[in-house]
Amino acid sequence: MKVLKFGGSSVANSEKIKQVLSIVANASEKNKVAVVVSAFGKTTDQLLAGANGALEDITAAKEILNSINELHFQVIEDLIIKNKKEVKQEITLLFNRLQSIYEGVYLLQELSDKTLAKVSSFGERLSSYIIANAAKETLDAIHKESRDLIVTNDEYLNAQVNFDITNKNISTFFDNNTHQITLLGGFISSNANGETTTLGRGGSDFTASIYAAALNADELQIWTDVSGMYTANPRVVKQAFPISEISYEEAMELSHFGAKVLYPPTIQPSLRKNIPIRIKNTFDPENLGTLISNNPENEHEVKGISHIEDISLITLEGGGMIGIPGFSKRLFETLSVAKINVVFITQASSEHSICVGVYENDAQKAKTLLDATFSIEIASKKIKPISVENDLAIIAVVGESMKNYQGLSGQMFSALGKNNVNVRAIAQGSSEKNISAVINKSDAKKALNTLHEQFFEEKTKQLNLFVTGVGNVGERFLAQIDQQKKFLKENLKLNIRVIGISNSRKMVFDNSGINLKKWKELLANGAPTSLDHFHKKVKECNQRNSVFIDNTANQQVSEVYERYLRDSISVVTCNKIACASSFDNYKKLKEVSRKYNASFLFETNVGAGLPIIDTLKNLVNSGDQIHKIQAVLSGSLNFVFNNFDENTTFHDVVAQAQAEGFTEPDPKIDLSGVDVARKILILARESGYQLELDDIKNNAFLPKESLDTKNNDDFYASLTKNENHFQDIYKNANSKECRLKYVAEFVNGAANVGLQHIAANHPFYNLEGSDNIVLFFTERYPENPLIIKGAGAGADVTASGIFADVIRIANQ
């Protein structure tokens, strides 16, 4: 004997019921089967809505009833031929009775639990009768009312089963039943007086388990619209996958914490009889689904992650509790009498406080009752008034083998902490099958995805990027991400998604990842943006492993870094303004980065894609001491002076450098030496020195007229006007057989930048194109410096440097 249960989604319409009958036919070829069905689709919700609506408007209630009626008679038309007249008569009779109940509710203006139970029972009474008659068309089937077999107490809406009587009734009926298939309604039952009762939340699953246990079935099959129990809710965690095997205890834990394919009471009768339960997909019947048994194969130490939303945390605390017995008893007794379900409990070992989690709709009632219970202690200030925190969720990591693995709780809370998920309370049973934490409801999705990645996707890490600035560098960065996406996934096990993009006018977001082949079109049609709006939207996305990318040279953008870091969102930037701002701000950004466990990386501030800052950090972190830095740090200035001679004009060479992307949008920033001064300042600070930008001596080569210009047109005009000045600079160097290089120096705490004559025997002499070079003289490299040399300007190399910083974050 097998027991098959089909939920509402499996019997929502005629086509789906045909699929159910096909599954039943296959199952009944070798075994007798008992088939338990739920109401069609959302019928029960509609029935209850009609009953509640009847209190005020009988017309509206009848309209709901007509809608339900239409669905059921359509199924009869589609699936029943032989007994169509008889079935229609019976269903019409049931609907007439239901309408009479609605009219009684309207006239009496009363809707008791007894009436609600009677109303809600009609869903299964209708569906089981119709499906049984549809089965009779081709199969050896019979219909039986569950109300005749399952006997309960008088709690109409959440009745407790009298198993002695119920098991006897079921055994007697099936012993005398010769049919291969028996169709039964789930959820419904009756008390000793024959009055209709219901089995509450998950009642149809529970009904099936009752039958399976009473009949000592070979297997209980729960057919639903998903292929088993998943490692997490697949609607929230896209990477979640079905669990092939799981124990009864693990299934109950996951079910308690929100895994809706199964409800905890369902398991109990089958567990007592050690009857395997299999969760199957009605619409993918070949899929093996999930097997729940006593001895599952354990592929993972963690079997699943689940959560419950709309939780409130109620706290009883005060010094007057310490050492005084009875506080816990009074708390739980008060809640029990009021039928308030406690879903989470934790108590400080000091006995100073007890926290309990309840459903949010019970929270205010619980507070009122507990304030009354402890009114004397509150008045005498032995304890504080009951506190309530709303908008919370409970997240649970479940696995029977967790006790055999060290450090799982550390992994759990470390992963949550890195993603700025604040844990309000923690509970772990001594069996170590479940670690539960109370968090903000708004963080639930991020927490689920974070923990799923931690325990089930160790080989693949997801980074979610929010990119501001899509000019030359930003455009190349997005192109590189798109080009390397497959490679990173296959070789580095890294899944990089761009979730948000903005320029100065528009922004676009997609939580599943922006299509980088169409980002320009999407951004052009995006929403208006501002720095505040973009930051707010990033926070609302609340993605794990979030990284803010600044590809601009904008001061206002640099001023929002701290806000991102405080939200535990890492920052990667090629914008030098923040790290070259006041030392206090530079230091603060570093401190906030450490405090909130968010990376702040700016490798491209110096040398574009060259690993200059990273090398410097490694030297300092390993205990080396920096004595001197000599460097050519401006790719644009190196390009300019490598291409400027008596046969060219300074104006044309600078224009060419800007056209090829080697300068900032405002080329004066490069040529004035300010950009180089910022870079040597950053290197000095990273070496451990406290300097300000004003401390950098800038030996400018531009005429004052050029330095005083306010826009690019005036700047270029001044270059043309002062061509003789630039030719004199070139001729002076050429006469000494030297080359012109704009050099930054840092020696024993002092720094300067300026144009220098470089002789042929100097390492800088043969520096070509837009290359950069840095010489580090240190305790370990006193005579022969550590040299880093390569392309130091251009959109591609700068974008690759930003990309490298993103990968550094992924590898942390």
Side-chain angles (χ1 to χ4, degrees):
M1 169 70 78
K2 288 186 178 180
V3 177
L4 284 63
K5 179 265 175 178
F6 294 90
S9 60
S10 297
V11 293
N13 55 45
S14 300
E15 288 303 311
K16 292 179 178 180
I17 293 170
K18 285 181 183 178
Q19 177 67 18
V20 166
L21 293 177
S22 173
I23 293 168
V24 170
N26 289 334
S28 65
E29 286 180 358
K30 295 181 180 179
N31 300 282
K32 281 191 172 185
V33 294
V35 180
V36 177
V37 295
S38 296
F40 292 171
K42 300 292 184 180
T43 298
T44 302
D45 290 340
Q46 291 177 291
L47 289 168
L48 293 174
N52 284 288
L55 287 168
E56 296 184 9
D57 185 357
I58 189 62
T59 303
K62 287 181 178 179
E63 287 177 0
I64 292 174
L65 197 58
N66 288 337
S67 174
I68 301 170
N69 183 297
E70 185 177 332
L71 170 63
H72 286 74
F73 275 92
Q74 183 61 56
V75 173
I76 294 169
E77 283 294 331
D78 293 340
L79 302 182
I80 299 173
I81 299 173
K82 295 178 183 177
N83 299 319
K84 185 174 291 186
K85 182 178 179 181
E86 177 187 330
V87 173
K88 283 186 174 182
Q89 287 175 345
E90 179 63 23
I91 296 304
T92 300
L93 182 62
L94 288 173
F95 273 109
N96 289 339
R97 290 175 185 171
L98 187 54
Q99 181 169 319
S100 297
I101 295 171
Y102 279 1
E103 289 171 347
V105 169
Y106 176 70
L107 292 171
L108 296 173
Q109 287 296 289
E110 182 181 347
L111 185 57
S112 65
D113 286 356
K114 182 177 179 179
T115 303
L116 281 171
K118 189 171 288 187
V119 168
S120 59
S121 74
F122 276 83
E124 276 73 12
R125 291 170 66 185
L126 291 163
S127 66
S128 62
Y129 182 77
I130 292 172
I131 295 172
N133 278 276
K136 289 177 185 178
E137 294 286 319
T138 56
L139 302 171
D140 178 20
I142 188 175
H143 175 250
K144 181 61 178 176
E145 270 272 14
S146 286
R147 293 183 303 163
D148 296 338
L149 302 176
I150 300 176
V151 178
T152 69
N153 64 3
D154 293 335
E155 291 185 27
Y156 293 99
L157 298 180
N158 192 19
Q160 303 301 304
V161 177
N162 184 324
F163 281 98
D164 289 337
I165 299 174
T166 296
N167 290 341
K168 184 178 179 181
N169 288 345
I170 293 171
S171 297
T172 301
F173 171 76
F174 278 90
D175 285 345
N176 297 315
N177 177 27
T178 60
H179 294 278
Q180 195 73 2
I181 300 165
T182 305
L183 263 296
L184 307 121
F187 178 63
I188 55 177
S189 49
S190 63
N191 62 17
N193 297 321
E195 296 170 322
T196 298
T197 59
T198 58
L199 300 179
R201 186 171 179 258
S204 289
D205 287 354
F206 190 25
T207 302
S209 189
I210 292 168
Y211 285 121
L215 297 169
N216 292 309
D218 299 318
E219 186 174 86
L220 167 59
Q221 296 180 357
I222 306 292
W223 291 81
T224 181
D225 56 359
V226 293
S227 298
M229 298 188 80
Y230 277 65
T231 49
N233 186 338
R235 293 180 180 87
V236 180
V237 180
K238 300 302 182 186
Q239 294 77 25
F241 54 87
I243 304 167
S244 58
E245 294 189 29
I246 191 170
S247 72
Y248 292 115
E249 290 79 4
E250 289 168 331
M252 281 194 291
E253 292 282 1
L254 286 174
S255 299
H256 176 71
F257 284 96
K260 294 182 180 178
V261 295
L262 198 67
Y263 293 98
T266 301
I267 300 172
Q268 289 292 350
S270 296
L271 185 154
R272 286 194 290 267
K273 291 289 189 73
N274 196 22
I275 295 169
I277 302 173
R278 191 176 289 277
I279 312 296
K280 298 272 286 178
N281 189 340
T282 305
F283 312 110
D284 184 13
E286 298 305 314
N287 193 299
L288 292 176
T290 299
L291 177 65
I292 305 171
S293 67
N294 259 338
N295 299 300
E297 289 187 7
N298 287 315
E299 299 174 4
H300 296 276
E301 59 270 22
V302 173
K303 275 296 180 72
I305 303 159
S306 195
H307 79 297
I308 311 172
E309 292 189 352
D310 299 318
I311 294 295
S312 293
L313 197 62
I314 295 176
T315 303
L316 173 68
E317 66 176 318
M321 295 170 58
I322 300 173
I324 307 298
F327 275 92
S328 298
K329 174 183 179 296
R330 292 164 64 193
L331 185 150
F332 293 113
E333 190 173 67
T334 299
L335 297 177
S336 176
V337 169
K339 296 183 179 180
I340 295 174
N341 188 32
V342 175
V343 294
F344 179 96
I345 305 168
T346 185
Q347 181 173 11
S349 58
S350 64
E351 302 180 52
H352 182 264
S353 67
I354 305 173
C355 292
V356 298
V358 302
Y359 290 106
E360 206 166 87
N361 54 12
D362 289 328
Q364 191 53 51
K365 178 182 177 183
K367 174 177 168 54
T368 301
L369 293 170
L370 291 172
D371 277 336
T373 298
F374 296 103
S375 59
I376 295 173
E377 289 86 353
I378 293 170
S380 60
K381 301 191 183 304
K382 289 182 179 179
I383 65 171
K384 299 177 182 178
I386 303 299
S387 69
V388 177
E389 295 177 71
N390 295 318
D391 298 319
L392 301 174
I394 300 173
I395 192 161
V397 173
V398 173
E400 199 162 355
S401 298
M402 284 165 42
K403 59 188 174 185
N404 300 321
Y405 292 84
Q406 295 181 343
L408 278 174
S409 58
Q411 291 180 50
M412 175 180 177
F413 295 115
S414 174
L416 294 175
K418 285 179 182 177
N419 283 279
N420 200 28
V421 177
N422 186 35
V423 176
R424 294 291 303 111
I426 301 166
Q428 180 175 10
S430 59
S431 65
E432 300 182 54
K433 294 174 184 173
N434 179 324
I435 306 172
S436 305
V438 178
I439 62 174
N440 291 327
K441 184 170 74 172
S442 60
D443 287 331
K445 180 179 179 180
K446 179 166 69 173
L448 282 168
N449 279 276
T450 295
L451 294 177
H452 196 273
E453 181 179 85
Q454 177 69 33
F455 293 116
F456 295 104
E457 306 166 46
E458 296 94 340
K459 295 180 181 178
T460 302
K461 184 172 185 178
Q462 184 181 100
L463 249 61
N464 296 293
L465 309 186
F466 300 88
V467 181
T468 289
V470 286
N472 287 340
V473 173
E475 182 174 353
R476 295 309 307 146
F477 172 69
L478 293 175
Q480 289 175 12
I481 292 284
D482 189 38
Q483 175 187 323
Q484 289 298 103
K485 200 167 185 179
K486 184 178 179 181
F487 174 87
L488 293 174
K489 211 165 191 178
E490 292 177 354
N491 294 274
L492 299 185
K493 303 302 179 185
L494 178 59
N495 180 21
I496 295 182
R497 307 188 310 169
V498 177
I499 303 298
I501 300 175
S502 77
N503 56 23
S504 59
R505 301 175 303 281
K506 298 276 190 175
M507 65 180 182
V508 62
F509 284 81
D510 186 339
N511 267 318
S512 61
I514 293 170
N515 183 342
L516 294 183
K517 290 181 170 55
K518 298 181 178 180
W519 71 263
K520 288 184 180 180
E521 176 187 341
L522 294 169
L523 183 61
N525 294 302
T529 191
S530 69
L531 292 176
D532 287 340
H533 287 152
F534 192 75
H535 174 253
K536 182 180 179 183
K537 187 68 177 175
V538 172
K539 281 189 68 177
E540 287 175 359
C541 288
N542 206 14
Q543 293 280 358
R544 69 194 189 282
N545 304 325
S546 291
V547 186
F548 173 68
I549 312 286
D550 176 14
N551 295 317
T552 75
N554 185 290
Q555 179 164 337
Q556 290 178 313
V557 177
S558 75
E559 291 169 355
V560 302
Y561 295 170
E562 184 181 342
R563 291 158 62 183
Y564 284 98
L565 294 171
R566 287 187 181 278
D567 293 325
S568 294
I569 297 169
S570 295
V571 173
V572 171
T573 179
C574 60
N575 187 344
K576 291 173 280 291
I577 294 174
C579 289
S581 61
S582 71
F583 182 81
D584 287 344
N585 186 57
Y586 163 83
K587 183 179 177 183
K588 188 175 186 181
L589 289 174
K590 290 269 193 170
E591 290 172 348
V592 172
S593 168
R594 286 190 293 271
K595 180 177 180 180
Y596 291 93
N597 203 24
S599 297
F600 176 41
L601 299 182
F602 43 89
E603 182 65 70
T604 49
N605 278 196
V606 181
L610 296 176
I612 295 171
I613 293 176
D614 193 51
T615 302
L616 178 56
K617 284 180 179 178
N618 290 336
L619 289 171
V620 173
N621 291 340
S622 65
D624 204 353
Q625 187 173 352
I626 311 300
H627 296 313
K628 179 180 177 181
I629 301 172
Q630 279 188 311
V632 174
L633 295 173
S634 173
S636 53
L637 282 170
N638 199 44
F639 178 90
V640 167
F641 286 108
N642 278 337
N643 289 278
F644 176 57
D645 56 30
E646 69 275 7
N647 299 316
T648 61
T649 67
F650 197 72
H651 169 283
D652 290 348
V653 174
V654 173
Q656 182 185 353
Q658 184 178 18
E660 294 189 21
F662 293 134
T663 73
E664 300 286 354
D666 177 2
K668 187 173 69 174
I669 295 174
D670 296 286
L671 272 69
S672 67
V674 171
D675 189 59
V676 178
R678 286 172 175 162
K679 291 176 180 179
I680 195 65
L681 173 65
I682 292 168
L683 293 182
R685 287 175 171 177
E686 290 294 301
S687 300
Y689 291 85
Q690 183 173 336
L691 272 74
E692 299 290 353
L693 188 59
D694 291 342
D695 297 328
I696 311 298
K697 185 179 179 182
N698 188 345
N699 302 306
F701 69 89
L702 287 177
K704 187 175 185 304
E705 180 184 356
S706 299
L707 290 171
D708 289 342
T709 56
K710 303 297 183 184
N711 57 61
N712 283 1
D713 289 341
D714 290 346
F715 176 71
Y716 276 111
S718 76
L719 298 185
T720 300
K721 183 177 179 181
N722 289 280
E723 178 64 25
N724 289 337
H725 166 76
F726 300 117
Q727 287 292 339
D728 289 343
I729 292 174
Y730 170 75
K731 289 173 183 177
N732 188 16
N734 195 44
S735 67
K736 299 175 183 179
E737 297 183 343
C738 291
R739 288 186 172 181
L740 291 168
K741 302 293 178 184
Y742 200 87
V743 178
E745 289 186 318
F746 174 72
V747 184
N748 296 326
N752 67 85
V753 298
L755 203 57
Q756 293 186 14
H757 294 170
I758 302 299
N761 62 350
H762 195 282
F764 293 172
Y765 186 83
N766 291 314
L767 194 66
E768 300 296 335
S770 60
D771 285 1
N772 281 191
I773 186 169
V774 179
L775 281 57
F776 288 119
F777 296 87
T778 74
E779 198 75 34
R780 296 171 190 159
Y781 300 91
E783 301 296 334
N784 296 312
L786 175 62
I787 300 175
I788 301 172
K789 178 182 176 184
D796 275 314
V797 292
T798 303
S800 69
I802 295 167
F803 202 161
D805 272 347
V806 169
I807 293 174
R808 284 188 184 94
I809 291 174
N811 291 332
Q812 288 175 355

